[in-house]
Amino acid sequence: MKFPEYLFNFCEGEEKQETKAIVVILMGLPGSGKSTFCDHVMRSSSRPWARICQDTINNGKSGTKLQCLSSATSALKEGKSVLVDRCNINKEQRVDFLKLGGAKVEKHAVVLDFPAKLCISRSVKRTGHEGNLQGGKAAAVVNQMVPKKELPKLAEGFARINFCQDEKDVKESINVYGLLGPLDSLPSGCFGNKNSDTKTQLGIMKFLKKVEPSSNAGSEPTISQKLIPNEISPGKDSGLQGTEKASDLTGVAHKKLEEAAAASDDIPTLAFPSISTADFQFNLEKASDIIVEKVEEFVGKIGKAKLVLVDLSHKSKILSLVKTKAEQKNIDTHKFSTFVGDITRLRSLKGLHCNVIANAANWRLKPGGGGVNAAIFSAAGSELDIATKEKADCLSPGNALVVPLPSSSPLFTREGVTHVIHVLGPNMNPQRPDCLKDDYVHGSELLRKAYTSLFEGFSSIVRSNIEVHYTNDDHKLKREAAYEFDENKKYKGCEQDTQPGLSDFRDVRKIPDEKVSLETTKTWGSWAQALYNIAMHPENHTKVVLETLDDVVVMNDAYPKAKRHILVLARAKGLDSVADVHIEHISLLKSMHDVGLKWAQKFLNEDKSLSFFRLGYHSVPSMRQLHLHVISQDFDSGHLKNKKHWNSFNTPFFIDSVDVIKELDEVGKVTLKNDKFLSMELRCHKCKSAHPNIPRLKAHISSCQASFPTDLLQNSRLVSSEDITYFCE
DNA sequence: GTTCTAGAAC
DNA sequence: GTTCTAGAAC
């Protein structure tokens, strides 16, 4: 079949226009974050990418360089750009990839140049690595690789090289490639700092004063130096300033400026409209007081993140009121500012990147109506409507609902908005539903609550991003932030909100969490709610509850797996498991531990034959509500019936309470273990001998005379009667 | 989390 | 034949 010539020409023309595929060759030691880099770029990019990963190319297992080359060639033929995710540690390793696609395909290098020590510690600690490179083996591989390391040079055939030496550099680089549209190209040359010799100790260089942070040893200026003529600082003034600066630039330069601004200044930022003051006619003086009060409360809690109050008009009274009051209170202008602009066009028109925007929603969470709500729903496309409907049907005043924005939404691609937080404030307008008339006591209370919910929602997103940032190497974490607050938390619908009698019903009707989340959020079956119900209403469960305190409830495990097995439940809402634990929970964990110790001591005093207790958490618990197991080490119980029972207390799946507290204190997060440990072979917890089945194992442990392994004897992981006499009552 | 049970392992 | 595991249902 012969195609008409015009069609052929058309196709050819199309192809020429679209073939801007590039090959990005990553370079870095195992544990340097190459795969994470790829994940982030591919998630935010509108350009088609293929990740060629040697660790998984062989049907999920590690393959050969040849397989990588062939797979990359196919991807290029399909018009995809390629991320070469392998170590590519020296020139020899890279040379064949530089030939891919011939001269017309640009080759870029992204160098993740972190100290070997850091890479080793990351790759040793990780579990579930795609290429199974973890533990001691990883350390050996990294050490072997270090001497062979050879940084890439433009002369090898690279059009562009990005050197990254810290997380900030990596983030910038992710932004540069993540924002690269299908037809865009990037400036050539070397970007970022590179050490001429990474083996040189930085300390010595500093001592000799030979290192200047901004010097590039002959390489070209960094992207920020090159592309940003002046710092864009929306924090200092209204948006006009930024526009004026940008207006001198050509269209292309303007675009680059935005990219650079996004890349260099990607601090989490929430843009929010004034709630309730437009259509809901809330008194502006009162509203501005509440905004400033709540902003002041939250700027201290959100780290580096920023809050920006946005209104369309220069003449906005609420904006000027808030600005004046914020100045009077000396609120840090880097953390909080007011901004004039369209909340749906902040990046594209004003160069202000806000990754989260708040919507002054209506109670039905529906598009339309006018004002900010109409504008946001219209700018975000049907994606926002669908994503919102998946999470809730309606919203009651004072509440907020965090909705992760699908990457296909125009608001995501054009403005870089990753989340929309719907907020419903109080209504003072008699023409609208639920009018409070002039009840400003209730109205102010609701408006405060609305801002609290909004800022808490934002702060969870920030926290979640940080967590991803730190743990992605270990967990391949692809968690999306999504938190709801108060009555809306994790439930769909709000009809029951005003009916207290149904509160228990609501406890068990948890809707499966957002589908995008993978490892750390999970769906709890109705049977998994029991501990939650007990923690919330211990007075209704006196048969099992041993002790009720302000922050914890102590109870007998309903199916004890040893002679003594109790649970210490946290009473805080929103703490389903260790995965939800953050640094601010450390004092709660310590008090759970202390209460657990006290009970262990009591049991040891009552029955000396119990000898030892262990206190710890399951990495992935079956029951909702954070609970600490306090369990005697005899494991003499008819309820201990299967492999999962045994392994959940006798493999690294069980994390000692002392280690959880230590890691939280030192690293700020807790590393969870894979549930693959649950299917491991059965081994005696003392002598470590293996046994074919549970009955044989139980027969063995009932008579094993060995002492506990040394790791358990350290750091008070095992509790015996000698350890904790000072807790004795 | 448990219970139930089919079928694998012995 | 009995014992034991593992997956589904709750």
Side-chain angles (χ1 to χ4, degrees):
Chain A
M1 182 178 171
K2 191 170 186 285
F3 290 103
E5 190 143 331
Y6 72 86
L7 185 59
F8 183 72
N9 286 339
F10 174 76
C11 291
E12 195 181 44
E14 278 286 290
E15 199 189 329
K16 263 184 192 158
Q17 212 198 359
E18 285 186 0
T19 308
K20 287 238 174 171
I22 53 172
V23 172
V24 178
I25 299 173
L26 286 141
M27 187 219 151
L29 295 167
S32 59
K34 299 183 293 294
S35 299
T36 309
F37 180 93
C38 296
D39 280 348
H40 282 276
V41 168
M42 291 173 81
R43 263 206 290 164
S44 55
S45 182
S46 57
R47 162 186 286 258
W49 287 100
R51 173 183 165 224
I52 308 296
C53 173
Q54 190 160 338
D55 285 336
T56 55
I57 198 156
N58 188 15
N59 286 327
K61 292 179 185 164
S62 73
T64 63
K65 186 171 147 189
L66 215 59
Q67 283 173 307
C68 293
L69 286 162
S70 133
S71 179
T73 308
S74 316
L76 284 171
K77 278 186 188 153
E78 289 167 23
K80 289 180 184 163
S81 291
V82 170
L83 288 156
V84 183
D85 180 4
R86 61 199 290 280
C87 296
N88 297 309
I89 210 75
N90 55 27
K91 194 175 162 184
E92 191 193 333
Q93 287 287 321
R94 297 186 285 263
V95 64
D96 291 321
F97 291 92
L98 280 154
K99 293 175 191 157
L100 283 169
K104 62 180 181 182
V105 175
E106 271 191 17
K107 313 299 180 313
H108 295 191
V110 171
V111 184
L112 303 177
D113 193 13
F114 294 117
K117 212 174 140 189
L118 178 67
C119 296
I120 290 172
S121 86
R122 282 178 179 181
S123 43
V124 165
K125 271 191 263 171
R126 66 188 169 191
T127 55
H129 177 247
E130 291 174 329
N132 202 23
L133 187 60
Q134 56 202 43
K137 193 171 123 196
V141 171
V142 175
N143 274 327
Q144 220 177 19
M145 234 177 239
V146 172
K148 296 179 191 160
K149 202 172 102 179
E150 203 181 337
L151 293 177
K153 297 190 180 86
L154 293 174
E156 285 175 41
F158 288 107
R160 178 189 170 94
I161 302 175
N162 260 65
F163 292 97
C164 304
Q165 289 186 316
D166 55 36
E167 294 294 346
K168 188 174 155 280
D169 293 346
V170 176
K171 215 168 175 185
E172 274 189 23
S173 222
I174 287 171
N175 271 316
V176 167
Y177 284 98
L179 291 171
L180 194 67
L183 298 172
D184 296 338
S185 56
L186 288 169
S188 307
C190 288
F191 296 85
N193 291 319
K194 82 174 155 173
N195 283 347
S196 51
D197 181 2
T198 49
K199 277 171 265 176
T200 311
Q201 288 178 46
L202 195 63
I204 292 172
M205 295 300 279
K206 271 185 184 161
F207 177 73
L208 296 170
K209 298 200 172 172
K210 281 185 181 170
V211 172
E212 290 165 38
S214 60
S215 90
N216 272 317
S219 68
E220 294 177 37
T222 64
I223 189 163
S224 7
Q225 289 163 333
K226 196 174 181 179
L227 293 172
I228 305 185
N230 285 300
E231 188 195 8
I232 296 179
S233 180
K236 285 178 188 145
D237 213 324
S238 76
L240 275 179
Q241 204 183 349
T243 323
E244 279 159 14
K245 278 176 193 167
S247 63
D248 299 332
L249 303 163
T250 64
V252 174
H254 193 169
K255 190 166 185 306
K256 297 285 179 209
L257 178 71
E258 283 161 19
E259 267 177 35
S264 65
D265 188 23
D266 210 11
I267 294 168
T269 305
L270 167 72
F272 65 101
S274 170
I275 305 299
S276 288
T277 50
D279 197 29
F280 284 178
Q281 300 178 355
F282 200 100
N283 176 283
L284 296 183
E285 279 290 346
K286 291 187 167 74
S288 57
D289 284 336
I290 291 172
I291 294 174
V292 174
E293 172 196 322
K294 283 290 153 186
V295 163
E296 190 181 25
E297 180 187 333
F298 271 86
V299 285
K301 295 184 184 172
I302 52 171
K304 277 187 178 174
K306 295 177 178 178
L307 304 173
V308 183
L309 176 69
V310 177
D311 203 346
L312 261 179
S313 163
H314 291 102
K315 293 172 194 156
S316 163
K317 190 163 176 220
I318 187 76
L319 225 54
S320 58
L321 280 171
V322 168
K323 198 175 171 184
T324 312
K325 289 176 182 174
E327 276 166 11
Q328 285 165 359
K329 287 203 169 189
N330 279 328
I331 294 176
D332 184 350
T333 52
H334 293 289
K335 294 275 197 70
F336 173 67
S337 56
T338 57
F339 197 93
V340 177
D342 175 351
I343 199 164
T344 68
R345 305 296 301 253
L346 292 173
R347 190 169 85 178
S348 56
L349 294 182
K350 302 272 175 139
L352 171 66
H353 181 206
C354 299
N355 60 321
V356 182
I357 62 173
N359 176 33
N362 53 47
W363 75 276
R364 288 181 193 277
L365 292 166
K366 289 223 163 113
V372 171
N373 184 66
I376 289 181
F377 270 103
S378 148
S382 57
E383 284 90 345
L384 177 61
D385 198 16
I386 294 164
T388 303
K389 283 288 160 291
E390 273 177 21
K391 303 203 66 118
D393 296 324
C394 54
L395 196 62
S396 48
N399 289 310
L401 176 76
V402 176
V403 179
L405 202 54
S407 57
S408 51
S409 163
L411 214 45
F412 184 105
T413 49
R414 191 189 63 217
E415 306 295 327
V417 174
T418 62
H419 297 77
V420 171
I421 306 180
H422 298 295
V423 199
L424 184 63
N427 171 37
M428 301 314 216
N429 180 353
Q431 316 265 297
R432 298 279 173 269
D434 299 325
C435 173
L436 294 173
K437 300 203 175 105
D438 274 332
D439 184 358
Y440 271 98
V441 176
H442 190 200
S444 299
E445 186 194 330
L446 279 178
L447 191 60
R448 281 196 183 87
K449 191 167 168 240
Y451 281 110
T452 302
S453 305
L454 167 63
F455 294 153
E456 278 184 350
F458 175 58
S459 117
S460 309
I461 296 168
V462 174
R463 214 163 46 210
S464 162
N465 283 343
I466 291 167
E467 189 183 10
V468 168
H469 200 54
Y470 284 140
T471 58
N472 43 25
D473 260 347
D474 293 340
H475 294 292
K476 299 269 173 244
L477 201 63
K478 296 188 179 78
R479 177 169 152 176
E480 294 273 331
Y483 291 82
E484 296 90 76
F485 289 88
D486 297 324
E487 282 86 350
N488 290 295
K489 185 175 167 70
K490 291 170 183 168
Y491 305 103
K492 202 169 162 157
C494 54
E495 294 85 348
Q496 285 78 29
D497 282 352
T498 51
Q499 300 176 40
L502 288 175
S503 64
D504 276 344
F505 169 67
R506 204 174 55 209
D507 289 346
V508 296
R509 62 187 292 248
K510 179 169 171 174
I511 296 297
D513 275 338
E514 53 286 340
K515 284 149 193 146
V516 285
S517 67
L518 292 178
E519 295 187 32
T520 53
T521 48
K522 60 182 283 187
T523 309
W524 305 95
S526 56
W527 45 264
Q529 308 291 337
L531 300 183
Y532 174 83
N533 293 337
I534 294 170
M536 295 306 141
H537 302 286
E539 68 282 5
N540 298 341
H541 304 271
T542 46
K543 278 187 185 168
V544 288
V545 169
L546 298 168
E547 184 181 18
T548 300
L549 299 163
D550 286 344
D551 50 354
V552 303
V553 168
V554 184
M555 62 176 284
N556 276 314
D557 192 293
Y559 300 90
K561 304 298 183 293
K563 280 183 180 161
R564 280 293 189 180
H565 180 186
I566 62 165
L567 304 176
V568 181
L569 309 183
R571 299 189 70 186
K573 281 192 178 183
L575 265 188
D576 286 344
S577 73
V578 192
D580 301 317
V581 164
H582 295 283
I583 189 74
E584 64 265 32
H585 302 117
I586 199 154
S587 63
L588 171 64
L589 293 194
K590 283 179 179 167
S591 79
M592 288 170 75
H593 184 87
D594 289 346
V595 172
L597 271 183
K598 183 187 79 180
W599 279 88
Q601 177 66 56
K602 179 176 147 67
F603 294 140
L604 286 164
N605 286 342
E606 285 168 6
D607 181 355
K608 294 280 188 296
S609 78
L610 295 173
S611 306
F612 290 99
F613 272 82
R614 230 178 133 189
L615 282 67
Y617 299 87
H618 285 159
S619 283
V620 186
S622 299
M623 305 288 280
R624 178 185 174 201
Q625 195 65 13
L626 182 69
H627 54 280
L628 171 70
H629 289 270
V630 178
I631 185 165
S632 59
Q633 294 296 292
D634 49 84
F635 294 106
D636 177 6
S637 161
H639 294 293
L640 201 162
K641 292 174 176 170
N642 61 42
K643 194 177 246 189
K644 185 176 174 182
H645 291 155
W646 178 257
N647 283 338
S648 69
F649 289 99
N650 292 291
T651 65
F653 183 88
F654 185 86
I655 318 175
D656 290 282
S657 168
V658 285
D659 292 329
V660 169
I661 292 167
K662 186 162 177 266
E663 198 179 2
L664 203 56
D665 198 25
E666 290 172 0
V667 194
K669 54 112 192 166
V670 184
T671 310
L672 300 176
K673 294 299 188 297
N674 201 294
D675 56 9
K676 72 180 179 200
F677 286 109
L678 295 179
S679 51
M680 273 173 61
E681 63 193 346
L682 298 164
R683 282 187 182 274
C684 170
H685 59 318
K686 291 180 180 167
C687 72
K688 294 288 165 193
S689 58
H691 300 270
N693 54 46
I694 288 288
R696 298 266 288 274
L697 172 79
K698 289 177 90 168
H700 167 82
I701 55 170
S702 67
S703 60
C704 179
Q705 296 299 309
S707 66
F708 282 93
T710 47
D711 64 308
L712 284 188
L713 293 168
Q714 290 163 351
N715 299 339
S716 313
R717 292 186 179 103
L718 278 177
V719 177
S720 70
S721 46
E722 291 107 61
D723 290 331
I724 48 170
T725 42
Y726 56 91
F727 276 102
C728 193
E729 279 178 341

